[in-house]
Amino acid sequence: MIDDGMLGKLPADLRAPDVMSLSLEAVGDLLIRYRLAGYPPDLLIEVPTDAVRTHEFHRATEMIEVGRRAALDALASSPFT
């Protein structure tokens, strides 16, 4: 564990930017759940949150394929096909 100033003790592999990114992700998730409750979609396609990290733009081709597979799986199990 390391002391990272105002944040106190952090695991050795967790840095302040990681904490900030995780915090923003948590707020984003709350907003998404709020919107989904008010306006439920006909079909929800979910991509795993651990599929990519922030600023990994070099993995765009890989992430497009992950999204494509998630979309095909969601459509295959939906009543719309």
Side-chain angles (χ1 to χ4, degrees):
M1 307 233 348
I2 57 174
D3 186 2
D4 196 20
M6 290 179 25
L7 297 175
K9 298 289 183 181
L10 297 174
D13 62 338
L14 186 66
R15 298 174 40 209
D18 296 326
V19 172
M20 189 172 8
S21 177
L22 289 170
S23 298
L24 290 172
E25 187 177 315
V27 170
D29 288 345
L30 287 172
L31 287 171
I32 289 170
R33 279 191 268 156
Y34 175 77
R35 287 184 179 172
L36 287 175
Y39 304 100
D42 294 329
L43 179 65
L44 180 62
I45 300 171
E46 296 184 89
V47 175
T49 57
D50 62 348
V52 71
R53 296 184 67 179
T54 307
H55 303 295
E56 289 185 331
F57 303 111
H58 62 281
R59 295 181 58 202
T61 304
E62 177 186 346
M63 289 311 304
I64 291 168
E65 185 57 34
V66 168
R68 183 175 286 123
R69 278 185 268 138
L72 289 172
D73 291 344
L75 287 169
S77 63
S78 78
F80 302 113
T81 59

